[in-house]
Amino acid sequence: MAEKGIKGNTDRIKLEEHIPLDTPLHVFLDASSVCNFHCSFCPHGNGEAAKVMPQTIMPVELAKKCIDDMTEFPQKIKRISFFDHGEPLVNSNLEEIISYAKNKNISDYLCITTNASLLTYERAEKIINAGLNRIDISIYGLSNKTYREFSHNQMDFEKLVKQISDCYYLMKSGEIVIKITDAALENQEDYEKFYNIFSPICDKICIEHAVPFWYDLDLKIDYDEKDIYGNPVVYKEICPVPFYALSIQANGLITPCCSDWKNILVLGDANRESIFSVWNGINHKELCKTLLKNGNKSVEPCNRCRFHELVAMDNIDEYRDVLLKRMEE
């Protein structure tokens, strides 16, 4: 049976002891900014917002170029996630990209997050054999009806469960993590039903609290000042994410955060620049120093984002002076 817990990694380094990092801990390489779902709580399902997001499949050659760039870092990247704003399985070349990264030996963990609607037995076998270590699966209901309400997608729920079950038994040396938000569960019976259905076919299972962390979206969530883990919010001035992560969009734009769905805060372009040079470049360094000096309120669109409070686990607020001195030196 699956372990109950949270999806995020709790075995974390003390970030304040390592900033500035010579190698990012987590890189998001967005295999597809296209999604086959149109969920109401995501930019893809929010009318005009969906038109702002790039709708692109990352070309294989760009993905390989980015992976080659990552070999320049002095250490292995802890985790590469082949997703950011879209559904990675929409990219028909995903397994080739995963295999290339695996052969380059640049990361300890190769992961995707998926809605699993395209996770057929054949596709699961290909991406697992390519070297994927972890598959995070997001569930949006416990019936065809709730899937239509949340994702605006026709879903055969029994078929979905069968696909996930097949994937679980194919995954010999990695892990399957399944999560749902509490907004998709109507009562205690639904909680028990979720655990009963999915606990036998995954390694870790999670129920997350629905939170409005996307900036500039009116998600109409009945929000109670708890974070995604169900704990009271810890208010922070500084987002820790740019200090340890990079997001490479499907069109090649490089941003410091997986939450910047409008690509407002662009650090560089992987089509023309190396990932290594962008991480060590002036744009990234100045962003980090600005955050330490003045907090999120001084940076667009961080001043409207709550990812740092509602999702991010690290808190570097009390170390800002020593970290700023260290970065300036």
Side-chain angles (χ1 to χ4, degrees):
M1 298 292 284
E3 171 194 352
K4 293 182 181 180
I6 64 174
K7 187 178 74 170
N9 177 26
T10 56
D11 182 21
R12 308 174 72 80
I13 66 170
K14 292 182 177 180
L15 193 58
E16 64 274 9
E17 295 179 359
H18 297 270
I19 294 172
L21 280 76
D22 59 12
T23 303
L25 301 176
H26 196 168
V27 173
F28 296 86
L29 188 65
D30 200 13
S32 167
S33 60
V34 177
C35 190
N36 60 332
F37 278 20
H38 305 285
C39 302
S40 56
F41 49 82
C42 169
H44 281 289
N46 274 262
E48 291 301 313
K51 298 177 183 179
V52 175
M53 297 181 71
Q55 300 293 309
T56 309
I57 306 296
M58 180 173 281
V60 172
E61 290 311 311
L62 175 58
K64 289 182 176 179
K65 185 264 182 189
C66 292
I67 292 165
D68 287 340
D69 288 351
M70 287 183 242
T71 64
E72 298 180 63
F73 287 111
Q75 302 179 59
K76 289 173 71 173
I77 296 160
K78 294 295 183 183
R79 178 170 300 194
I80 297 177
S81 299
F82 299 97
F83 79 98
D84 196 343
H85 295 141
E87 169 52 52
L89 292 173
V90 170
N91 190 328
S92 60
N93 297 309
L94 179 63
E95 45 268 41
E96 182 179 352
I97 296 169
I98 295 169
S99 178
Y100 191 80
K102 181 70 173 179
N103 290 335
K104 289 289 182 176
N105 194 30
I106 57 172
S107 177
D108 296 321
Y109 264 87
L110 303 178
C111 320
I112 63 169
T113 292
T114 174
N115 59 43
S117 62
L118 304 175
L119 194 65
T120 62
Y121 183 94
E122 293 77 15
R123 198 72 196 281
E125 189 173 37
K126 286 179 180 179
I127 60 175
I128 291 169
N129 288 343
L132 205 64
N133 302 107
R134 171 167 164 155
I135 302 176
D136 285 16
I137 298 174
S138 300
I139 302 298
Y140 300 104
L142 301 178
S143 67
N144 297 351
K145 177 177 178 292
T146 50
Y147 258 86
R148 284 195 303 272
E149 292 172 354
F150 273 84
S151 69
H152 304 288
N153 189 72
Q154 296 294 328
M155 175 61 64
D156 184 334
F157 183 71
E158 291 185 4
K159 180 181 177 182
L160 176 70
V161 174
K162 175 64 165 59
Q163 288 181 176
I164 295 172
S165 177
D166 289 343
C167 184
Y168 175 66
Y169 289 106
L170 283 168
M171 181 71 91
K172 303 297 184 184
S173 58
E175 62 179 340
I176 305 292
V177 179
I178 293 179
K179 67 96 174 174
I180 195 170
T181 62
D182 52 11
L185 304 173
E186 296 182 0
N187 49 48
Q188 188 59 39
E189 290 182 1
D190 279 354
Y191 280 74
E192 294 173 3
K193 183 178 179 181
F194 171 68
Y195 285 126
N196 289 339
I197 292 172
F198 293 105
S199 287
I201 54 173
C202 67
D203 300 287
K204 181 183 286 187
I205 190 164
C206 323
I207 298 177
E208 295 182 341
H209 188 49
V211 296
F213 68 81
W214 294 109
Y215 67 83
D216 290 353
L217 290 184
D218 181 11
L219 300 182
K220 297 180 174 61
I221 293 175
D222 187 15
Y223 181 55
D224 55 3
E225 289 302 312
K226 291 183 179 179
D227 64 20
I228 199 170
Y229 314 108
N231 302 314
V233 170
V234 175
Y235 298 99
K236 308 172 191 174
E237 292 188 26
I238 303 167
C239 181
V241 177
F243 295 88
Y244 69 83
L246 275 182
S247 291
I248 307 163
Q249 306 306 311
N251 59 5
L253 294 182
I254 304 171
T255 68
C257 177
C258 58
S259 188
D260 184 11
W261 62 276
K262 286 185 178 180
N263 291 344
I264 291 174
L265 200 55
V266 175
L267 301 177
D269 187 342
N271 293 286
R272 304 190 304 270
E273 303 167 82
S274 79
I275 311 303
F276 178 82
S277 67
V278 170
W279 177 258
N280 290 289
I282 188 67
N283 289 343
H284 182 234
K285 289 182 178 179
E286 287 304 312
L287 168 64
C288 291
K289 288 196 286 186
T290 299
L291 287 171
L292 290 171
K293 289 177 182 176
N294 304 310
N296 276 33
K297 67 180 183 295
S298 64
V299 178
E300 167 80 10
C302 307
N303 53 3
R304 304 191 303 279
C305 180
R306 296 201 66 191
F307 187 92
H308 65 303
E309 294 177 330
L310 302 181
V311 182
M313 296 181 186
D314 306 286
N315 187 351
I316 59 173
D317 280 13
E318 65 178 288
Y319 307 101
R320 61 194 308 169
D321 292 337
V322 66
L323 295 180
L324 180 60
K325 182 179 179 182
R326 198 184 299 164
M327 290 200 71
E328 288 179 335
E329 289 173 348

